[in-house]
Amino acid sequence: MDRIFISPGPVYEPHLSENDYLWARAYHAAGIGKEDIVLNAFSYHMVAAGLTFHGGLRRVGATVIPSGTSSSQQQVQLIRDLNVTAYTGTPSFLMAIIQKAEELGYDFKSDFRMRRACFAAEPLQPSLRKRFEKEFGIDTYQMYGATEVGDVAYECSEKQGWHICEEVLVEIVDPETGKKLPKGCLGEVVVTRFNSIFFLFRFGTGDLSKITESPCPCGRTSYRLNGIEGRVGDALKVRGLFIAPSQLKKIQEIFKDVKIQLIVARISHEDILTIRLEPKEASINTIPIEEKFRTVFKDICTVKIDRMEHVQHGTLKEDDRLMIDERTWK
Ligand SMILES: [Zn+2]
């Protein structure tokens, strides 16, 4: 065993072996290699992150600047002085660094050489990704894992789901029963990593996702995780299938002129799923989009809508919840 660190609790945990390929596949898939000088903005202090990502970067031959949680101003200085080509850390911290650089009078895209970023530990919002890529010319990649089990999945240049690492066994389970769900269903990501140092059997991540089995155009043959749809506690289970708020938000992005509310009730031992549609402008009629809405909803959430209610503009208040569970379990 080479290291011991602290995870929240506090719990002392051994580090996985230095010989493990932790995160190396992810960095390789993101195109990082021996030509790169990478700023590692994950903390190196007593937590596993910094050293773990450092190890992955070294495996692909990159030179690492262990900047950890230094101030954004210092990070800007390092990027400039050392000709940094890539970043690894959280997306929000990279945005803070970019903003600091612009504040200091730099044009991030033309004054610096940073062209790639590999993110973990925080979801990458699509709007933020667009800004990094379009405004600042940084190609972005998502990596997924947990302190306890190391790397689990990573994005390739196709950016259509995350390839599951070979060393881990990923199951999608019903968080209430722990039982594996049928193919393509949304459920909790449960990970088993085979190793001789820190063996965790069926580690529940608390994250919701589903698995895609179709081959990826990049040529890798592993199954992929279809992003993270949220945390287990945020989802509602309807007729045995989970619906996460993030899925509704995706639908909302397709139907920009309407507000959505989902209600689940239980009538004679059956779950009844109702969708309320409200036009954002009083002049919009929501009835003609009903059919398309039902199709899109079924595609994204895999659950069928039982009832659609078309409510008047102004019915749903700003603080109304997106999903309401009216079921009582008596
Ligand atoms: Zn791929």
Side-chain angles (χ1 to χ4, degrees), residues 29 154-163 215-222 224:
Y154 58 90
E155 214 167 28
C156 66
S157 57
E158 297 291 329
K159 303 184 187 182
Q160 292 170 29
W162 309 340
H163 289 282
C216 182
C218 77
R220 288 178 181 82
T221 53
S222 62
R224 283 167 290 157

Side-chain angles (χ1 to χ4, degrees), residues 206 208 229-237 242-246 249 323:
L208 289 169
E229 297 286 0
R231 298 286 294 166
V232 165
D234 304 332
L236 276 187
K237 195 178 182 186
F242 286 92
I243 299 179
S246 60
K249 284 176 190 152
M323 305 204 293

Side-chain angles (χ1 to χ4, degrees), residues 41-221:
F42 282 110
S43 176
Y44 278 77
H45 182 69
M46 285 316 289
V47 295
L51 287 165
T52 313
F53 291 105
H54 187 114
L57 288 165
R58 290 297 302 129
R59 279 263 167 179
V60 297
T63 300
V64 190
I65 317 294
S67 64
T69 53
S70 308
S71 71
S72 51
Q73 183 150 350
Q74 194 168 20
Q75 309 267 10
V76 172
Q77 194 185 332
L78 292 166
I79 295 170
R80 184 197 61 196
D81 295 349
L82 301 171
N83 280 330
V84 166
T85 60
Y87 165 94
T88 195
T90 63
S92 58
F93 193 38
L94 179 57
M95 193 44 89
I97 294 169
I98 292 173
Q99 277 163 353
K100 177 55 79 180
E102 307 257 305
E103 230 176 83
L104 294 168
Y106 294 107
D107 179 324
F108 199 87
K109 194 172 174 178
S110 57
D111 292 342
F112 300 143
R113 288 182 59 213
M114 187 184 284
R115 295 296 170 259
R116 285 175 214 280
C118 298
F119 302 122
E122 207 179 81
L124 175 61
Q125 305 297 340
S127 56
L128 201 55
R129 168 169 248 176
K130 214 167 149 192
R131 282 196 71 197
F132 285 132
E133 301 200 345
K134 297 263 164 352
E135 237 175 276
F136 304 109
I138 302 168
D139 196 12
T140 61
Y141 292 85
Q142 300 179 82
M143 311 188 292
Y144 175 66
T147 298
E148 291 80 356
V149 287
D151 55 353
V152 174
Y154 58 90
E155 214 167 28
C156 66
S157 57
E158 297 291 329
K159 303 184 187 182
Q160 292 170 29
W162 309 340
H163 289 282
I164 295 172
C165 297
E166 286 166 31
E167 296 84 354
V168 294
L169 178 70
V170 172
E171 297 167 273
I172 299 294
V173 311
D174 180 332
E176 286 158 23
T177 62
K179 294 227 168 81
K180 205 168 161 178
L181 288 167
K183 273 183 191 174
C185 288
L186 185 71
E188 184 180 5
V189 179
V190 166
V191 182
T192 300
R193 186 182 196 100
F194 302 101
N195 72 91
S196 56
I197 294 177
F198 190 31
F199 185 82
L200 279 182
F201 184 65
R202 301 192 91 208
F203 172 76
T205 60
D207 293 324
L208 289 169
S209 186
K210 54 185 171 190
I211 286 180
T212 306
E213 294 185 4
S214 61
C216 182
C218 77
R220 288 178 181 82
T221 53

